[in-house]
Structure formats: structure tokens, C-alpha cells
């Protein structure tokens, strides 16, 4: 059974702009898929549709459950969505309360809740910082805390919207290492194409709400004409790799 | 951006910081109520009330300068009322300070009493606020009867106050770096209005995203209540001390005469 199945999904905002114009896509269990595309392509909108924050036309199935009012809670337990802006994700007074917010809705005992929170914070390298307040954290720490808030719910699928945006190189490296250690099905919406090459095996290129390419990450991102046609460019590591492999120029 | 939050020192380690927020809240309330309810012409009798909150602040390790700056910031209203009393209250009263007696204008005494009561209340409040995280204070108020919804609102407002302040500061800077001439009042007003309107719209957008973030993590309208922690011996002892001190201060006439 696939982890995620999307069929003929369409969605338009109140102003009439069609953000998703017929998307069909399947993600297998344990797969790591990057959703790339120019600004306004529909990446974030797709993730919001996946967890029922927005309602569109078409079918969405998560771990076999078709998205509907009655399956909303189940699906939201299955998919851990990390928002683009940590300040949207971190709304409780302390990190520990934020990380415990989701599991607390599921009726865990105090001890079980504390263990989940501690485990999630350790997993993202914030062990012992549960009593800190979000506005006292650095950008990298906020991103890590945002990830912890969904890890504590033990979802089978992680959906991350721009997980490395705004991070300094060290924090970015930490975030990438964190993602590489995850065993869940991974969906990542991102402009960080170098990160895609490190973390994801598959890339889905979206533009104007449609899927224009879907395949092996390296193959999709190395297609210069395709990337340029959709507002992107081939990652530097691929371009450098291509130059290195070019035969040397003959002497004049 | 740097935020001058009231509970900046709430993460320090001290016997006061370790006390339960409920104990500190009850003690602060009892103490303040006792001081404020002293007779309006009582001046000398209010002076000893300054000692306990100052002692609590010293024990907590919160810098006195931090506290007194805030006392000063909050003082304008009390200063105005005190000055009004001094000006408009005629009549004379006899003031006794130890072995000394003096007949003074009543307005000076009541004005001075108002200032002292303000100082005592402010110190007691700051002793509470600077040693207790706001969310714990809100939780304490909730467990002592404040509606949970209101306590939740307080914590959310405090959480996002800094986000709004950051946003406001960014907009102010944006206006500042593009102000190269001498804009008139009208132009400044338009820039300020635009910045505030944009802030309002962004706040609405942010509120929607936060709501979405809460819903996708199972929120159904009420933040689950955390399991209540038991009050310890130190907490009960602190409240008892506050009650005993208040009893001694209020009953000073009795034990001084005896």
C-alpha cells in the first residue's frame, strides 16, 4: 500500500487563482521525495491539502485512508507537517509544551508524554532545552524544535516545507543530517536543490500547479533545459561534476 | 532582535525561583492587599512594608537596577495622583515618626501614602513577575479560578508579542532607511499607516497559519490541562510567612503598645 496517493487534485484560492491544477502522484512507504519548483508552483499548497487544512477536489489517500471529515484526525496523526515559518509552528510558551502539544491530544499519561517529549528533543539535538521559550531560540534551533513537534507524534510520514530556508551553513548541515537519519516516508518542499541531491531519491517538479517532471532526483535536476524552463537551475554540484568529466581541450 | 522581557530573569536559580507560582501569587496578593488597605493617612506604618519584597528580590538575585527601572517606568500615574492629593487636600494632621511629632498638611501625608503604597505594590508585583515565567503565572491564575480560556489567551499574547514587535521594528527600519529627505507630517503619517495596516494583515495571515499548525497536531479547541503539580513544604511555608508578616505589620499597634 503506498504511503500517499493523490489523484486528480485541484484547488483554487478565493481570488480564483488555481494553485493546484490536476495533480496525480503516488509515494511509496519509506520513499524520500522532493517537491521542487519556482515560487507559486503550489508546493506548500499541496502539503496543506494533504493534511486537510485546505479542501480541494480530487482524492487524497494517506496509508490507505481516504481524506474526509471522519478520517482527518487519523491522517493528521499519520502525517507530521512542518511549516515553512517556525513561528507558525511554535505557538506554546516553552519548547517542551510545544513538542508535547500533539501527543497530549492523544490521551497519553504524564510519564508517557514526558518520555515522548524528551525523546523527540534528543532526536533533534535539543535535549535539555525543553524549558526554553521559542523567542529565545536561534533560527536553527527553532527549525529543530519545529521538527521535534511533529516527531513526538511518531508519524509514518514527514512533510517538511522549506526545512533549510534561512539557516546558516552549520545549521543547514545539522538539518540535513537530521533528515538523513529519519526512517519515515519523507516529503520535502524546497528550493535547496543541493539538499535534494543529498537527502531525496526522487524529485517531483511542479510549476503552475501541475507536475511537469517526476523521476530520479539526479535525472530531473540535471535536465538543464527542463530546469530553466521552470524557473530553476541545475545544482552547482552537478554542473561542476559535468565540467570535470568534460574531456580536456586539445593544445593550440 | 533583543527583547526586554519582564521575565528575563525568571530562569535564574534561587529559593524564590523554585517556589510554585501559585504560592508566590497568593503571597503577593495577600501582601499587596494588606498594604493597600492601610488607612489613607498612614505613612510611617507603611515604611516597614517595603522590607519583605525587597528582601525577596535580593534573595532571588534579580538585579535591583532592573527592578527599580521598572518601578520608575510604572510610576507616572501614581506620581500624578499623589501630586493632586498634595495640592487639593487641605487640612492638617499630626504625623508621628518614632519620638517625633509634627503637624503637616494632610495632602502631603495622603500623597506620600499613595506613593508608598504604589512602591510596595510595585515591588511585590515585580518580585512575583521577575521570578516566575509568565506561562506559569497564567497557569497559576487558571488553577486559582481564572477561566482557562483567558489564561490561554494571555500565554498566546505573550508568545506572539515578540513576533509582532520584531515585525514592527523591521517595518520601522524599512521606513527609516528609505527616508532620505525631510518628509512632511502627512507623508510620515501615510508611511506609518501603511506599515501598521501591513502589520495587521500579516498578523491575520500568521494567525491563520498558527491555527492550521494547531489543527494538524490535533487541537480541538482547548489546550489540554497539564497534570497539576503538588505544592511542596517550601511553597506552603512561603505563604505562611507572608501571612505572618502581614499579621505582624497590621498588628504593630498592638505589639508596639504592649
Amino acid at each position: 500500500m503506498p504511503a500517499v496517493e493523490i489523484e486528480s487534485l485541484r484547488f483554487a484560492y478565493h481570488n480564483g487563482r488555481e494553485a493546484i491544477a490536476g495533480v496525480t502522484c503516488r509515494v511509496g512507504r519509506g520513499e524520500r521525495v522532493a517537491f521542487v519548483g519556482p515560487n507559486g508552483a503550489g508546493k506548500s499548497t499541496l502539503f496543506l491539502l494533504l493534511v486537510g487544512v485546505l479542501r480541494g477536489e480530487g482524492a487524497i489517500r494517506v496509508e490507505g485512508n481516504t481524506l474526509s471529515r471522519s478520517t482527518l484526525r487519523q491522517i493528521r496523526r499519520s502525517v507530521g507537517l512542518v511549516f515553512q515559518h517556525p513561528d507558525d509552528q511554535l505557538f506554546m510558551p516553552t519548547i517542551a509544551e510545544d513538542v508535547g502539544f500533539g501527543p497530549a491530544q492523544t490521551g497519553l499519561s504524564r510519564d508517557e508524554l514526558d518520555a515522548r517529549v524528551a525523546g523527540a528533543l534528543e532526536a533533534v539535538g535539543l535535549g535539555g532545552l525543553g524549558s526554553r521559550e521559542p523567542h529565545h531560540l536561534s533560527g536553527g534551533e527553532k527549525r529543530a524544535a519545529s521538527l521535534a513537534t511533529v516527531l513526538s507524534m511518531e508519524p509514518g510520514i514527514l512533510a517538511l516545507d522549506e526545512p533549510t530556508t534561512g539557516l546558516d551553513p552549520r545549521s543547514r548541515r545539522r538539518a540535513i543530517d537530521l533528515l538523513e537519519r529519519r526512517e519515515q516516508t519523507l516529503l520535502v518542499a524546497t528550493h535547496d536543490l543541493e539538499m535534494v541531491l543529498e537527502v531525496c531519491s526522487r524529485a517531483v517538479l511542479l510549476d503552475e500547479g501541475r507536475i511537469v517532471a517526476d523521476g530520479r532526483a539526479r535525472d530531473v535536476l540535471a535536465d538543464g533545459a527542463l530546469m530553466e524552463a521552470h524557473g530553476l537551475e541545475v545544482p552547482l554540484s552537478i554542473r561542476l561534476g559535468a565540467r570535470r568529466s568534460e574531456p580536456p581541450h586539445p593544445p593550440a | 532582535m533583543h527583547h526586554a522581557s519582564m521575565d528575563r530573569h525568571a530562569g535564574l536559580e534561587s529559593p524564590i525561583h523554585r517556589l510554585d507560582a501559585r504560592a508566590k501569587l497568593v503571597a503577593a496578593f495577600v501582601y499587596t492587599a494588606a498594604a493597600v488597605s492601610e488607612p489613607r493617612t498612614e505613612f510611617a506604618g507603611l515604611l516597614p512594608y517595603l522590607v519583605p519584597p525587597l528582601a525577596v528580590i535580593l534573595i532571588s538575585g534579580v538585579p535591583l537596577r532592573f527592578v527599580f527601572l521598572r518601578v520608575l517606568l510604572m510610576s507616572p500615574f501614581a506620581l500624578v495622583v499623589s501630586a493632586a492629593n498634595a495640592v487639593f487636600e487641605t487640612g492638617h494632621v499630626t504625623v508621628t515618626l518614632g519620638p517625633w511629632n509634627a503637624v503637616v498638611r494632610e495632602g502631603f501625608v495622603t500623597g506620600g501614602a499613595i506613593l508608598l503604597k504604589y512602591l510596595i505594590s510595585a515591588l511585590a508585583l515585580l518580585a512575583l513577575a521577575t521570578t516566575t515565567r509568565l506561562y506559569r503565572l497564567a497557569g497559576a491564575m487558571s488553577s486559582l479560578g481564572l477561566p482557562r480560556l483567558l489564561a490561554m489567551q494571555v500565554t498566546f499574547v505573550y508568545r506572539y508579542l515578540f513576533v509582532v514587535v520584531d515585525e514592527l521594528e523591521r517595518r520601522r527600519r524599512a521606513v527609516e532607511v528609505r527616508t532620505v529627505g525631510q518628509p512632511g507630517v502627512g507623508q510620515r503619517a501615510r508611511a506609518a499607516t501603511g506599515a501598521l495596516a501591513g502589520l495587521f494583515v500579516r498578523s491575520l495571515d500568521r494567525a491563520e497559519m498558527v491555527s492550521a499548525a494547531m489543527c494538524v497536531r490535533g487541537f480541538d479547541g482547548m489546550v489540554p490541562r497539564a497534570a497539576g503539580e503538588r505544592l511542596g513544604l517550601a511553597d506552603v511555608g512561603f505563604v505562611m510567612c507572608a501571612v505572618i508578616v502581614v499579621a505582624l505589620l497590621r498588628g504593630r499597634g498592638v505589639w508596639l503598645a504592649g
Side-chain angles (χ1 to χ4, degrees):
Chain A
M1 175 172 51
V4 174
E5 289 179 271
I6 300 171
E7 279 178 31
S8 306
L9 189 63
R10 306 192 87 87
F11 175 79
Y13 282 103
H14 293 306
N15 60 7
R17 186 176 82 84
E18 195 170 36
I20 300 291
V23 164
T24 295
C25 180
R26 215 168 261 195
V27 177
R29 284 180 187 272
E31 251 198 300
R32 291 159 172 246
V33 183
F35 289 84
V36 300
N39 292 339
K43 304 184 295 294
S44 301
T45 305
L46 186 63
F47 281 14
L48 292 175
L49 286 163
L50 183 62
V51 290
V53 172
L54 300 173
R55 305 285 166 89
E57 296 165 19
I60 295 175
R61 273 183 292 279
V62 175
E63 294 184 341
N65 295 306
T66 303
L67 180 64
S68 67
R69 260 191 206 283
S70 58
T71 60
L72 203 54
R73 277 183 190 268
Q74 177 62 38
I75 284 172
R76 285 175 176 176
R77 283 186 196 179
S78 301
V79 181
L81 174 60
V82 180
F83 284 63
Q84 190 170 350
H85 300 290
D87 280 325
D88 294 342
Q89 189 98 15
L90 304 172
F91 45 77
M92 295 299 281
T94 65
I95 298 307
E97 285 184 273
D98 244 313
V99 174
F101 181 86
Q105 319 279 341
T106 60
L108 295 178
S109 69
R110 182 62 188 251
D111 288 340
E112 286 169 327
L113 188 60
D114 288 346
R116 281 271 189 107
V117 169
L121 287 174
E122 280 296 332
V124 301
L126 294 181
L129 297 184
S131 60
R132 295 273 289 274
E133 292 160 354
H135 55 268
H136 289 160
L137 298 181
S138 68
E141 286 171 336
K142 279 186 188 176
R143 288 261 174 214
S146 297
L147 181 58
T149 62
V150 299
L151 288 181
S152 63
M153 297 179 70
E154 298 182 348
I157 302 163
L158 286 175
L160 299 103
D161 196 352
E162 303 285 358
T164 57
T165 295
L167 297 183
D168 61 42
R170 186 188 300 177
S171 300
R172 178 181 168 276
R173 178 49 47 194
R174 276 198 196 124
I176 291 174
D177 290 343
L178 259 173
L179 294 181
E180 282 184 321
R181 287 200 297 269
R182 296 294 109 219
E183 291 175 1
Q184 291 96 333
T185 304
L186 204 59
L187 311 176
V188 183
T190 184
H191 290 299
D192 187 347
L193 303 183
E194 296 291 353
M195 186 261 291
V196 171
L197 290 173
E198 283 192 63
V199 174
C200 303
S201 54
R202 177 178 158 202
V204 174
L205 174 55
L206 277 168
D207 197 358
E208 291 182 354
R210 290 186 177 81
I211 293 179
V212 294
D214 181 349
R216 205 167 139 257
R218 186 158 280 272
D219 294 340
V220 172
L221 300 187
D223 187 334
L226 177 73
M227 297 293 276
E228 204 172 307
H230 298 286
L232 302 176
E233 60 179 29
V234 175
L236 185 63
S237 58
I238 293 179
R239 279 185 277 149
L240 287 175
R243 277 203 203 114
R244 279 196 209 103
S245 65
E246 281 173 9
H249 292 292
Chain B
M1 288 189 195
H2 173 71
H3 296 117
S5 55
M6 180 67 78
D7 63 353
R8 193 197 314 175
H9 300 289
L12 295 177
E13 268 299 310
S14 79
I16 306 298
H17 285 83
R18 284 193 287 275
L19 290 170
D20 191 287
R22 289 167 291 180
K24 286 188 276 189
L25 184 61
V26 168
F29 178 77
V30 165
Y31 196 81
T32 307
V36 164
S37 61
E38 288 277 359
R40 56 192 294 278
T41 53
E42 182 62 64
F43 183 85
L46 283 172
L47 291 171
Y49 276 92
L50 290 170
V51 176
L54 273 173
V56 167
I57 290 167
L58 283 169
I59 294 169
S60 72
V62 174
L64 279 174
R65 188 168 179 271
F66 179 84
V67 171
F68 281 113
L69 265 173
R70 273 137 192 88
V71 169
L72 211 60
L73 275 170
M74 299 189 294
S75 65
F77 182 71
L79 286 169
V80 165
V81 173
S82 170
N85 262 52
V87 167
F88 294 114
E89 270 210 58
T90 52
H92 292 83
V93 290
T94 305
V95 174
T96 306
L97 205 63
W100 298 287
N101 286 328
V103 176
V104 297
R105 187 184 165 98
E106 191 173 352
F108 290 159
V109 175
T110 55
I114 286 170
L115 273 182
L116 263 183
K117 287 179 180 178
Y118 158 72
L119 190 57
I120 292 162
S121 310
L123 287 173
L125 174 68
L126 285 165
L128 171 66
T130 55
T131 60
T132 316
R133 294 231 188 263
L134 187 83
Y135 74 92
R136 287 206 183 276
L137 207 49
M141 287 192 278
S142 167
S143 61
L144 291 171
L146 184 76
R148 204 145 62 95
L149 192 61
L150 208 53
M152 205 168 83
Q153 294 294 333
V154 168
T155 54
F156 278 134
V157 165
Y158 188 68
R159 162 69 184 98
Y160 283 100
L161 189 61
F162 302 103
V163 177
V164 169
V165 166
D166 278 349
E167 188 70 25
L168 205 54
E169 177 60 16
R170 273 192 285 273
R171 283 164 191 274
R172 189 198 64 76
R173 280 184 193 170
V175 170
E176 189 182 322
V177 299
R178 281 152 61 187
T179 303
V180 296
Q182 294 288 332
V185 171
Q187 202 171 3
R188 282 185 191 275
R190 270 195 299 279
T193 308
L196 283 173
L199 181 67
F200 181 69
V201 171
R202 278 182 68 85
S203 298
L204 280 179
D205 280 347
R206 164 86 11 103
E208 276 189 21
M209 291 311 291
V210 171
S211 172
M214 294 172 78
C215 288
V216 300
R217 279 151 67 188
F219 182 63
D220 61 0
M222 259 307 167
V223 176
R225 186 193 288 277
E229 288 172 20
R230 299 194 126 195
L231 289 175
L233 207 58
D235 305 318
V236 176
F238 184 75
V239 176
M240 294 304 299
C241 278
V243 171
I244 291 168
V245 166
V246 162
L248 286 172
L249 288 170
R250 288 305 286 253
R252 63 188 179 277
V254 173
W255 57 263
L256 276 176

